[in-house]
Amino acid sequence: MTTPPTLAPATDNTPTDDGPVLRADGVTMRFGGLTAVRGVDLTVHPREIVGLIGPNGAGKTTFFNCLTGLYIPTEGTVSYRGTVLPPKPHLVTKAGIARTFQNIRLFANMTVLENVLVGRHTRTKEGLWSALLRSPGFKKAERTSEERATELLEFIGLAHKRDHLARNLPYGEQRKLEIARALASEPGLLLLDEPTAGMNPQETRATEELVLAIRDKGIAVLVIEHDMRFIFNLCDRVAVLVQGEKLVEGTSDTVQADERVVAAYLGEPCDGAPGEAEAAEVAAAEAAADAVADTAAHTAADTAADAQNTPGTTKGEAP
């Protein structure tokens, strides 16, 4: 992968001290009487890459959803740079945390550039009347957003495809575009949920280099991934979730040497582990909650896309 061009860090969200960017204290998430995440503590420090691994059904994505406001934790708190986060996804993004999802969630009928511009909605202050009247402030904000989006496309290597529809990109490039859209909100912390899923070895290596380049720009990263080679090559620290609880946390060498981690991946049951029926019930509850969260997320994104498609602004197809 060619070394990405210089990308200015997000000044508003660049940490100014050595305190944690993210602190999760005792995060617990219950669905009815079933516990998907139990008492998880985790910190991420500036310019650090932390991996979160565990078998399928360990609660990794549920924990991510608690961090980003898609779920309201039953117990515990989530803080960004010392401030407890409100349980609202758009406010979490505005505070300085951005994320990608397991399943690609691009606007298929919008261009590559327009998809990145949608990610700018939390960093623009111009309102509806400013857009309709084409005020000088709106025009300046529009230029700034397009310049920033172009920088990001150059950074991930997609500037030459800025006018292509997102649906026409190869799978690996769609993943990169999702990362660019997340970076458009100028986060201090980026959460990546299985960023190499479905990728070939070359694409995986390119993603590893991209994440390292993002870290070098001052952005901390928390990543879920099933590719152990990717995680252990990339991360400064790794935490392991099993049955919703943090089993171990440490360097790659520490985690790989822990017999409990090996046992968990081989499928040996843990004390108090739920049976198949209970696990299926948790999965069903999570799916129902995801559907509600997905609808809310698309409504917010549709609003941002409408603002971009206001007469006189960048034109694009509706998603």
Side-chain angles (χ1 to χ4, degrees):
M1 175 180 171
T2 304
T3 302
T6 300
L7 179 67
T11 54
D12 289 345
N13 289 305
T14 300
T16 57
D17 54 42
D18 293 329
V21 177
L22 175 76
R23 179 184 293 277
D25 292 310
V27 172
T28 295
M29 185 67 207
R30 297 190 183 96
F31 296 96
L34 301 174
T35 303
V37 176
R38 186 191 304 274
V40 175
D41 299 326
L42 186 71
T43 58
V44 180
H45 293 272
R47 296 179 179 270
E48 186 177 36
I49 302 176
V50 177
L52 188 63
I53 65 172
N56 287 330
K60 302 182 298 296
T61 296
T62 299
F63 182 61
F64 255 36
N65 289 342
C66 291
L67 298 181
T68 55
L70 287 176
Y71 294 168
I72 301 175
T74 309
E75 298 173 11
T77 59
V78 179
S79 302
Y80 175 74
R81 298 179 64 187
T83 301
V84 176
L85 291 169
K88 299 287 185 181
H90 69 285
L91 295 179
V92 171
T93 302
K94 188 174 182 179
I97 297 178
R99 72 169 292 180
T100 64
F101 292 83
Q102 279 181 316
N103 300 316
I104 294 174
R105 299 187 180 185
L106 295 174
F107 291 90
N109 292 323
M110 292 175 67
T111 68
V112 167
L113 177 64
E114 288 166 347
N115 267 276
V116 179
L117 286 172
V118 167
R120 290 283 302 167
H121 75 279
T122 60
R123 296 294 169 236
T124 54
K125 299 179 181 179
E126 304 302 316
L128 176 63
W129 287 110
S130 180
L132 291 175
L133 297 174
R134 303 288 296 165
S135 70
F138 174 81
K139 292 179 180 179
K140 181 180 179 181
E142 188 177 43
R143 286 194 303 271
T144 300
S145 290
E146 186 160 343
E147 288 170 1
R148 177 66 175 170
T150 300
E151 282 182 15
L152 288 168
L153 290 178
E154 291 173 352
F155 180 69
I156 65 167
L158 289 180
H160 63 295
K161 294 188 176 182
R162 56 176 281 160
D163 295 323
H164 292 212
L165 293 181
R167 67 184 179 192
N168 293 334
L169 295 180
Y171 178 83
E173 291 184 350
Q174 289 189 22
R175 283 283 185 187
K176 290 168 69 176
L177 179 56
E178 261 212 324
I179 292 174
R181 186 176 63 183
L183 291 174
S185 67
E186 300 184 359
L189 172 66
L190 178 63
L191 276 58
L192 302 175
D193 195 346
E194 299 191 24
T196 68
M199 289 186 177
N200 61 40
Q202 291 74 25
E203 291 171 330
T204 297
R205 177 57 185 164
T207 301
E208 182 180 330
E209 293 181 1
L210 177 59
V211 175
L212 289 170
I214 290 170
R215 188 271 307 276
D216 290 344
K217 303 305 177 186
I219 300 172
V221 180
L222 177 60
V223 56
I224 292 174
E225 188 52 72
H226 285 293
D227 185 331
M228 294 298 98
R229 179 177 297 178
F230 175 83
I231 284 288
F232 293 138
N233 285 342
L234 181 70
C235 296
D236 302 303
R237 282 188 294 120
V238 179
V240 183
L241 286 188
V242 176
Q243 302 296 345
E245 297 185 55
K246 189 169 73 173
L247 181 66
V248 64
E249 179 180 351
T251 65
S252 295
D253 290 341
T254 299
V255 170
Q256 291 180 82
D258 195 301
E259 294 181 357
R260 296 172 298 170
V261 176
V262 177
Y265 273 93
L266 290 176
E268 295 184 15
C270 301
D271 292 339
E276 291 184 6
E278 291 174 302
E281 194 171 343
V282 169
E286 287 181 335
D290 282 343
V292 174
D294 192 49
T295 299
H298 274 81
T299 299
D302 286 344
T303 301
D306 288 343
Q308 291 295 334
N309 292 326
T310 300
T313 66
T314 304
K315 295 182 180 180
E317 298 180 59

